[in-house]
Amino acid sequence: MSMRELVVLGTASQAPTRQRNHNGYVLRWDDEVILFDPGEGSQRQLLHTTVTATDLTRICVTHFHGDHCLGLPGTIQRLSLDRVPHPVAVHFPAGGAEYFARLRHATSFYETAELAVTPIETDGQRIALRCGTLEARRLRHPIETYGYRLVEPDGCRMLPEKLAAYGIAGPAVGELIRVGHLDLDGRRVTRDEVSVPRPGQRFAFVMDTGLCDGVYALAEHADLLVIESTFLESEAALAAEVGHLTAAQAARVATESGVRTLVLTHFSQRYPDPGRFFDEARAHFDGDLVIAEDLTTVQVPPRRVASAG
Ligand SMILES: [Zn+2]
């Protein structure tokens, strides 16, 4: 089975604390290993996980506030230091290209790694990956910000015993999948007769934002949603003013969007007790709820069971 999991590098917003590094996340998803929003210290946090710089295939930055990108210089230089042999794709809001250029070349280093840079220019921009589609949606924050989601298309799982019953094997299986049917001795066998639907999986990453359409577009039916909850409801007015979410808002988004596993993170340093985020979110969401801690791993839940048919 391919591996699909989230590795949490850090969970603090704005300023790190003794318990929380600046935020940063790695998503392992089949052949993709995507680093999201590397804050300060991300290179060293990686050392505490099983992910290496060489594993990284892609870097996605939501916006250019320091807690989401000050880890870029170290991480990018590390790619060259380790002579990473494959190109690493990089995405960030196009309006922040100047910040990216500065961070990329913040200091002198011997550059060997290849970065394949594709800035996000428009709301809804899609990037085709082997494992699905990466989509960016505009969020609401004082500077240009995009969240991301990874959508695997629905597919089907062939049933070996049914294939065997019809005597279908080898290249004929590929043809049946591709064409949708196969004519055997005057009888047509359809793909649906010998397979069951395999619902695609979705991962969504929603950072610094007030509530807006983009939040819901990203969260829709996510198997795993990573979403900022900088504040608690007691600071709801402040959250709205500065373009952030509360734990209750994030949890309600998850419920309304049919999210399965909800990961809250990007906590303000004003709240030393993470239990308060859990309690507030729990009142609005009854699925799997994780209050992210540094250096923990969250599994993408098993596929949804396909509806009968
Ligand atoms: Zn921000």
Side-chain angles (χ1 to χ4, degrees), residues 146-209:
Y146 290 97
Y148 298 90
R149 71 172 182 166
L150 184 53
V151 177
E152 177 188 41
D154 293 334
C156 62
R157 185 168 61 81
M158 304 307 276
L159 299 170
E161 64 280 8
K162 295 229 168 152
L163 290 171
Y166 286 108
I168 302 169
V173 178
E175 190 186 334
L176 176 58
I177 293 172
R178 208 170 48 251
V179 181
H181 59 81
L182 211 57
D183 292 319
L184 294 172
D185 304 328
R187 187 204 186 292
R188 174 160 287 191
V189 179
T190 67
R191 185 173 47 204
D192 293 348
E193 288 176 72
V194 292
S195 69
V196 289
R198 190 197 67 167
Q201 289 197 309
R202 296 181 179 193
F203 167 82
F205 186 77
V206 177
M207 281 299 130
D208 299 18
T209 186

Side-chain angles (χ1 to χ4, degrees), residues 82-146:
D82 289 359
R83 308 252 170 186
V84 172
H86 53 264
V88 176
V90 186
H91 311 293
F92 51 80
E98 188 183 340
Y99 293 118
F100 179 74
R102 284 190 215 146
L103 291 163
R104 179 179 185 177
H105 292 121
T107 72
S108 170
F109 68 106
Y110 185 62
E111 192 169 4
T112 62
E114 183 189 338
L115 300 185
V117 176
T118 307
I120 305 300
E121 315 260 1
T122 54
D123 186 20
Q125 186 168 329
R126 291 175 183 193
I127 292 144
L129 311 185
R130 271 187 15 175
C131 56
T133 303
L134 182 68
E135 182 180 355
R137 295 303 298 255
R138 186 74 191 252
L139 296 175
R140 195 166 85 204
H141 201 51
I143 61 170
E144 187 183 2
T145 301
Y146 290 97

Side-chain angles (χ1 to χ4, degrees), residues 63 65 67-68 141 208 244 266:
H63 67 300
H65 279 153
D67 49 330
H68 298 262
H141 201 51
D208 299 18
H244 280 296
H266 191 273

Side-chain angles (χ1 to χ4, degrees), residues 12-64:
S13 65
Q14 206 170 47
T17 69
R18 290 177 187 223
Q19 288 78 33
R20 298 186 184 278
N21 197 80
H22 253 176
N23 73 156
Y25 313 85
V26 173
L27 178 71
R28 288 190 205 261
W29 188 284
D30 304 353
D31 57 345
E32 286 279 348
V33 181
I34 307 176
L35 174 64
F36 288 92
D37 278 6
E40 242 177 284
S42 287
Q43 182 187 181
R44 187 156 190 275
Q45 292 295 91
L46 275 177
L47 292 180
H48 293 298
T49 73
T50 57
V51 183
T52 68
T54 303
D55 293 333
L56 300 177
T57 57
R58 193 171 300 273
I59 299 172
C60 295
V61 174
T62 60
H63 67 300
F64 287 97

